[in-house]
Amino acid sequence: MASATLFSFSLLFLQVSLVIGNVTRNSTLSNTDNNAWLSPSGDFAFGFRQLNGTSLFMVAIWYNKIPDKTIVWHAKADDPAVPTGSQVQLTSKGLLLTSPKGESIWTAEPNDNVSYGAMLDSGNFVLVNSSSIVVWSSFNNPTDTLLPNQSLESNDMITSRLTETNYTRGRFQLYFQGGNILLSPLAWPTQFQYDSYDTFDASNFASRLLFNESGEVYIEKANGTRVRPQWKYLDLNNNVYYYRATLDFYGVFTQYAHSRDSNAQQGWTIMRYVPGNICTQIFNDFGSGSCGYNSYCSMENQRPTCSCPIGYSLIDPRNQFGGCQPNFTIGCGADNGEARPAELYQFNTQSDVDWPLSDYERLQPFSQQECQDSCLQDCMCAIAISDSNHCCWKKRLPLSNGRARSGGQVVLIKTRVAPLGNTGPPTSPDSNQKDRAKPALLGSLIGSLVINTILLATVVMVLRLKPKRIVRAATLSDSNLHSFTYEALKEATKDFSEELGRGSFGIVYKGTLESEFYNVVAIKKLDRLAQEREKEFKTELSAIGKTCHKNLVKLIGFCDEGIHRLLVYEFMSNGNLAEILFGQPKPDWNLRVKFALGIARGLVYLHEECDTPIIHCDIKPQNILINEHFTAKISDFGLAKLLMSDQSRTNTMIRGTRGYVAPEWFKNVAVTVKVDVYSFGVMLLEIICCRRCVLLVELGEEEKAILTDWAYDCYIEGRLDTLVESDKEAMADNSRLQKWVKTAIWCIQEHQDMRPTMGMVMQMLEGFVDVPNPPSPYSFKSTSRLPSN
C-alpha cells in the first residue's frame, strides 16, 4: 500500500514538474485535454481556453488562481477562435498552432532558434535562446491588457476585443502618435483610426507607457522622466492585489484590482479609468459612437450602458453595444403608397436624449407640432428633435453618437401604428367618443347591413346548390387556413394530372378551386412526415397561417386526412427565381434589385416580426416564386420542422441545398436564423451575377467554380466588372453594386456571430447604414470549399 502511494505521488510530481517547469522543445498542448503551462507560483497559465457557449477554443494566458480565470493575452488577435482538436507545440522555431488536420494556423517565430519556453510569474510567456536571451514574449505582442512589469513601446498598441465574450480585434485602440498616447475608435473591422477621443499628454515626448511592478501606470518620456496620466492618484499594494490595465470593449482604458486572498471578496474592482464619460467623449462624424447605431449611451456605476429608443430593439439581444433596429419597416418605399402616413405612423416622445451628428435638416422657427408633422410626411425622417429655441432637427437612420444629454429637448420617435397592408386608420380614444355620440344611427345602419347580408348570403347559397361536387373547406381555428378533403383536392387537380414542379418537400400540382379569392392554386403533396411530427402538423400550420406579408407565398389551406398531407398555395404565374435568373435573356438589373429587396423584406418578417421567429432552412432561388407583377415571394417557409430528419439534399441531419448550407449545419451546434442569412448571402451573389453558386467550369477557370470564393477574390482585387461580366446596367449602378457585394460577403461569414441580422442586411441593402469592408468569409482556407454530397 505504501509503495502504491509513493508511486502515485511520484507520478503526480512528474506531471506537475512538466507543467510548471521550463517548457522544453516539442512539448505540446491540445484543447482536447485540460493541460496548461503554469508560472512557478501558479498565478498565470498558458494554454487553451474554450470560448463561451461554443465548441471553439483559443490559445491564451490567464490568471489561474482566481475563480473567473481572466484572460490577459491571446494568440491570433484578428480571429482567435480555433476548432476542437487543435494543438500548440513549442519547436526550435517558436510556437506553432495547428488545426485538427495538422495545418498551420498561427506561429510565433523569433529571429533566433528557441531552446525552451517559460510562463513567468509576471504573466509574460517567453521564448529563450541557447544564450538565455528572451527572443520572443507575449508582453511584446499585447492584445487588450497590460500587466505590472509590462511596457508599451512607441511602435506598439493595444486594441479592445469586439464584445465582452468575443475576443476578435474590436472597435477601439490605444496607440502612440506625435509623442503622445491617443485613444481612438476604429472603422471596424478595419484598423482605420477615426479622430481620437482622449489623449495622454506627454508634451509630444512620450516614448513608452510603463506599468511598473507596484501597479502604477506612467508615461515615460524620451529623456527618462515619467508623468502620470490624467487620472486620480492611488495607494497601491502589489502584495495584496492583482492589477491589470485593460482597454475595455466599449473604449474605456481601465485599471482593475483583484484580491490575492481567496477568502476575500472575489471579483475585479474598478480603480480608475479614462475617459471619465465615454458617452459624451466620442464625437465623430464617422462611426457609431460609444454604443452601436440607433442606440444611446448613458453612464451607470462608472460604466457605459446602451439603450434603444422607443419602438427599437437590440440587433443582438446578447450584445447591448451592438446597436438597435426599428421593430417595423421604415424608409422611402417601405409603404408602397398603401396608406396615408398619418394612418401608418405615430410618434412617441422621450427627453434628455440626443444624436447630435445625425441631422440632415434644420427647420427654424418651428413648433413641436410642426416638427412632428414635417417628420411624418418625410419618408427619410426617423426621429426629430424639437428644442427650446424652436429648432426642429430631422434625423435619418442610422443614428450615431447617441447619448443621454439634458437640455430640455423633446425627442419625437416615429413608429408604425398599423402593420404594412392595413390601410384602415388606427382606433383612438377620440374616435371611440365620436362613435358613441351617434349610437342610434350606427345601430340602425349595422342592423340594416346584417339583414341585407343574410338575405344576400341566402340567395347566393341557393344559386350555388348544384348537383356537381364543390370544394368545401372548414377554417382552421385561430388562422385563415381552410381544411380541404383529399377527394376535393384530387378533383381540383383533375386527379393530380398537371405537375408544376418537384422539390425536397414533395410534388406540386396545378389546381382549380371555386373561390371568391383564389381560382387557380398550387397544391403540394408532402412526403411522409416524421412520426413525432404528426401531432404537430396542425399546430405548425396554424402558426404559418397567421403569417401575412407581400413577400411570402400565401398558404390558403391544407389537407390532413388519413395518410394524406397536402398544402394549398396561391398560384404564382411566373415560376421560380432560378428559371428567370439562370435563363436567357438575363433579367435586367433593376428587376434583380427588386427581387433581392423583396426577398430580404420577407426574411426580416419571418425572423423578426412574427410572434415566433421562423427559420426557413432552405433559402435558394428555386424556393422564391414570382407572381404576375414580378413580385418575389418566399415559399416553403416554416415547413422544415414538419419533415423527416433525413429529408435532405445534402447529408443526414442537414437541411438545405448544397451551395447554400451554412457551415454550422456541419458542426454539433444549434442553428439559428443566421443559417438563412448565410443562404441569402449566397443567393444575393447569384442575383448580382446571374449565375449559379456552384458550376462545372473548364480547365483554367477553376477559380470561378465556387461563386462565394470567386466573388470575394473579385472584390479584393477590384474586379467587380468581371464578376458581373461587364453588365452595363449593374456597372452604371456601381455604388449599389459595391455595397451589395460587401453585404453578401458579410452574410456568408463562416462564424455566424459575424453575420448581420436580416434587419441589418435590409438597412445595408437600402443604403440606410454604411457597409464596412468585410473580412475573408473563411477562418481557415481548408474550410473554404463546400463539402461534397
Side-chain angles (χ1 to χ4, degrees):
M1 180 68 182
S3 61
T5 303
L6 180 61
F7 179 71
S8 299
F9 180 81
S10 300
L11 286 179
L12 178 60
F13 180 81
L14 176 62
Q15 181 183 12
V16 171
S17 66
L18 286 173
V19 172
I20 292 182
N22 288 340
V23 181
T24 59
R25 288 192 301 198
N26 298 321
S27 296
T28 61
L29 293 173
S30 172
N31 57 22
T32 57
D33 55 43
N34 293 320
N35 289 340
W37 296 330
L38 302 184
S39 67
S41 67
D43 283 344
F44 291 94
F46 178 103
F48 285 97
R49 287 293 304 275
Q50 187 167 7
L51 295 175
N52 291 344
T54 73
S55 59
L56 301 173
F57 294 79
M58 67 178 177
V59 174
I61 298 172
W62 63 89
Y63 281 98
N64 193 52
K65 285 186 175 180
I66 63 177
D68 64 2
K69 311 294 184 187
T70 304
I71 291 171
V72 297
W73 178 91
H74 57 84
K76 288 181 78 255
D78 288 331
D79 184 10
V82 297
T84 302
S86 298
Q87 179 177 278
V88 65
Q89 181 180 25
L90 179 62
T91 71
S92 61
K93 293 184 177 180
L95 290 172
L96 173 63
L97 176 62
T98 55
S99 72
K101 295 182 180 180
E103 299 159 325
S104 175
I105 300 175
W106 171 84
T107 59
E109 294 186 348
N111 294 325
D112 201 352
N113 285 340
V114 175
S115 293
Y116 64 92
M119 182 70 253
L120 306 181
D121 277 336
S122 62
N124 189 16
F125 186 83
V126 297
L127 301 179
V128 183
N129 68 9
S130 57
S131 301
S132 299
I133 297 175
V134 174
V135 292
W136 183 93
S137 72
S138 60
F139 272 14
N140 288 335
N141 296 272
T143 50
D144 66 345
T145 296
L146 299 177
L147 297 174
N149 285 314
Q150 184 174 5
S151 63
L152 192 70
E153 305 300 322
S154 59
N155 58 342
D156 292 332
M157 63 187 65
I158 59 174
T159 306
S160 68
R161 69 186 70 162
L162 185 58
T163 70
E164 187 173 9
T165 57
N166 186 338
Y167 289 81
T168 301
R169 201 185 297 269
R171 299 191 300 128
F172 301 94
Q173 201 163 75
L174 182 150
Y175 60 100
F176 289 78
Q177 187 179 86
N180 295 306
I181 299 172
L182 308 182
L183 285 166
S184 288
L186 301 177
W188 190 88
T190 71
Q191 294 293 292
F192 179 77
Q193 296 163 342
Y194 292 140
D195 292 341
S196 63
Y197 57 88
D198 211 325
T199 303
F200 293 178
D201 188 4
S203 303
N204 303 324
F205 289 106
S207 63
R208 64 174 179 160
L209 185 67
L210 177 64
F211 197 178
N212 71 12
E213 185 177 2
S214 67
E216 190 58 74
V217 178
Y218 293 100
I219 303 168
E220 188 170 275
K221 295 185 178 182
N223 61 6
T225 60
R226 296 177 178 179
V227 295
R228 186 181 291 111
Q230 295 88 353
W231 59 10
K232 64 182 179 181
Y233 174 78
L234 295 173
D235 185 15
L236 305 170
N237 190 337
N238 198 38
N239 295 319
V240 178
Y241 294 99
Y242 295 117
Y243 295 115
R244 65 180 171 94
T246 299
L247 180 56
D248 292 314
F249 67 92
Y250 37 76
V252 179
F253 185 64
T254 307
Q255 185 175 1
Y256 294 93
H258 191 295
S259 176
R260 291 175 178 266
D261 185 357
S262 60
N263 295 319
Q265 183 177 355
Q266 298 298 292
W268 289 98
T269 301
I270 297 172
M271 301 180 64
R272 49 193 175 185
Y273 56 94
V274 290
N277 187 340
I278 188 70
C279 296
T280 58
Q281 196 76 13
I282 299 179
F283 200 73
N284 284 334
D285 291 328
F286 298 102
S288 64
S290 51
C291 290
Y293 289 106
N294 303 327
S295 61
Y296 61 91
C297 179
S298 56
M299 294 293 290
E300 296 180 9
N301 299 321
Q302 304 181 81
R303 299 291 84 179
T305 183
C306 302
S307 306
C308 298
I310 297 170
Y312 291 64
S313 60
L314 291 173
I315 294 173
D316 181 355
R318 300 166 299 179
N319 179 19
Q320 65 161 305
F321 290 84
C324 302
Q325 60 187 348
N327 298 330
F328 50 90
T329 305
I330 192 171
C332 299
D335 307 317
N336 293 329
E338 295 187 24
R340 294 184 298 108
E343 297 172 349
L344 292 176
Y345 295 99
Q346 64 183 2
F347 283 85
N348 293 286
T349 61
Q350 281 185 250
S351 58
D352 298 330
V353 178
D354 197 6
W355 293 267
L357 296 180
S358 296
D359 311 312
Y360 69 93
E361 190 167 45
R362 171 182 176 175
L363 304 172
Q364 188 179 20
F366 234 48
S367 69
Q368 179 178 325
Q369 186 60 49
E370 288 174 322
C371 187
Q372 177 173 308
D373 292 342
S374 179
C375 185
L376 175 66
Q377 301 299 327
D378 186 345
C379 66
M380 290 188 295
C381 182
I383 284 178
I385 291 185
S386 178
D387 66 20
S388 57
N389 295 321
H390 300 289
C391 284
C392 175
W393 306 89
K394 291 163 67 174
K395 303 173 186 288
R396 64 162 71 92
L397 299 181
L399 304 168
S400 63
N401 292 277
R403 73 271 319 273
R405 188 177 76 175
S406 61
Q409 68 274 9
V410 178
V411 184
L412 305 167
I413 306 170
K414 189 176 181 181
T415 59
R416 187 176 287 277
V417 71
L420 195 63
N422 180 6
T423 58
T427 302
S428 67
D430 291 340
S431 65
N432 290 337
Q433 292 292 338
K434 292 177 182 179
D435 289 343
R436 289 194 293 269
K438 301 177 181 179
L441 178 59
L442 287 176
S444 176
L445 290 174
I446 292 171
S448 176
L449 179 62
V450 169
I451 294 173
N452 289 334
T453 301
I454 293 174
L455 290 174
L456 180 60
T458 303
V459 172
V460 170
M461 289 296 294
V462 170
L463 292 175
R464 295 187 64 182
L465 286 175
K466 299 180 180 180
K468 70 173 186 175
R469 184 190 301 270
I470 63 173
V471 176
R472 299 183 183 276
T475 301
L476 182 65
S477 177
D478 296 328
S479 78
N480 294 321
L481 296 184
H482 298 284
S483 177
F484 296 93
T485 66
Y486 179 73
E487 283 299 319
L489 296 184
K490 184 177 180 181
E491 180 176 325
T493 59
K494 299 179 181 178
D495 202 12
F496 303 102
S497 59
E498 188 174 350
E499 184 177 319
L500 294 176
R502 292 173 178 253
S504 57
F505 295 163
I507 305 175
V508 185
Y509 300 92
K510 187 175 182 179
T512 303
L513 298 178
E514 292 186 7
S515 168
E516 180 181 355
F517 302 103
Y518 299 99
N519 187 12
V520 180
V521 294
I523 298 175
K524 179 172 296 187
K525 291 183 71 174
L526 292 178
D527 291 341
R528 183 170 59 88
L529 299 178
Q531 183 176 358
E532 66 272 15
R533 296 300 185 196
E534 290 286 350
K535 294 181 180 179
E536 299 181 23
F537 184 76
K538 286 187 179 180
T539 302
E540 294 296 328
L541 288 184
S542 179
I544 299 170
K546 294 176 183 177
T547 61
C548 181
H549 194 276
K550 63 181 178 179
N551 294 113
L552 303 182
V553 174
K554 176 66 176 177
L555 179 62
I556 301 168
F558 67 98
C559 172
D560 179 18
E561 184 178 301
I563 63 171
H564 303 297
R565 303 290 182 273
L566 296 92
L567 300 172
V568 182
Y569 289 99
E570 62 174 314
F571 179 73
M572 305 292 284
S573 60
N574 276 315
N576 64 54
L577 178 61
E579 296 167 347
I580 296 175
L581 208 56
F582 309 134
Q584 294 296 332
K586 178 191 296 187
D588 66 53
W589 173 247
N590 289 330
L591 182 60
R592 282 141 59 196
V593 167
K594 178 182 177 181
F595 288 157
L597 291 175
I599 298 163
R601 290 189 184 106
L603 284 173
V604 170
Y605 176 82
L606 289 177
H607 291 181
E608 302 174 11
E609 297 173 8
C610 291
D611 292 338
T612 302
I614 295 176
I615 308 176
H616 189 285
C617 296
D618 197 17
I619 290 294
K620 59 182 179 180
Q622 290 80 359
N623 283 337
I624 307 299
L625 303 184
I626 312 298
N627 71 5
E628 66 274 18
H629 303 298
F630 286 93
T631 298
K633 299 194 177 191
I634 302 170
S635 66
D636 285 340
F637 56 90
L639 296 183
K641 287 181 66 176
L642 302 178
L643 297 179
M644 296 179 65
S645 62
D646 61 352
Q647 280 187 292
S648 164
R649 296 186 61 188
T650 52
N651 298 324
T652 302
M653 300 303 293
I654 299 172
R655 292 175 179 147
T657 301
R658 182 175 182 268
Y660 305 91
V661 179
E664 52 265 36
W665 279 114
F666 302 95
K667 303 173 184 178
N668 187 25
V669 296
V671 298
T672 67
V673 292
K674 292 295 185 71
V675 298
D676 287 349
V677 176
Y678 183 94
S679 301
F680 176 80
V682 176
M683 188 169 63
L684 179 58
L685 289 175
E686 291 183 318
I687 292 172
I688 291 170
C689 305
C690 285
R691 58 148 283 186
R692 298 182 188 276
C693 60
V694 181
L695 286 180
L696 293 175
V697 295
E698 297 179 359
L699 189 64
E701 294 189 338
E702 290 84 355
E703 68 167 5
K704 297 183 179 180
I706 307 298
L707 177 57
T708 51
D709 287 3
W710 186 47
Y712 182 72
D713 291 342
C714 289
Y715 161 70
I716 288 296
E717 297 164 9
R719 297 188 292 121
L720 293 189
D721 57 334
T722 304
L723 185 65
V724 296
E725 296 182 339
S726 300
D727 185 325
K728 292 182 180 179
E729 288 183 327
M731 293 304 297
D733 195 6
N734 186 61
S735 176
R736 189 200 302 267
L737 176 62
Q738 293 270 358
K739 290 180 181 178
W740 281 30
V741 170
K742 291 195 292 184
T743 300
I745 295 172
W746 274 113
C747 290
I748 60 172
Q749 293 293 309
E750 179 177 9
H751 294 303
Q752 57 180 325
D753 290 344
M754 294 287 286
R755 296 174 213 148
T757 62
M758 280 308 305
M760 180 56 71
V761 170
M762 192 72 242
Q763 294 190 54
M764 290 177 173
L765 295 178
E766 291 183 323
F768 290 135
V769 299
D770 291 331
V771 185
N773 295 327
S776 171
Y778 311 106
S779 296
F780 317 114
K781 193 62 178 175
S782 61
T783 62
S784 66
R785 292 295 184 268
L786 295 168
S788 58
N789 283 330

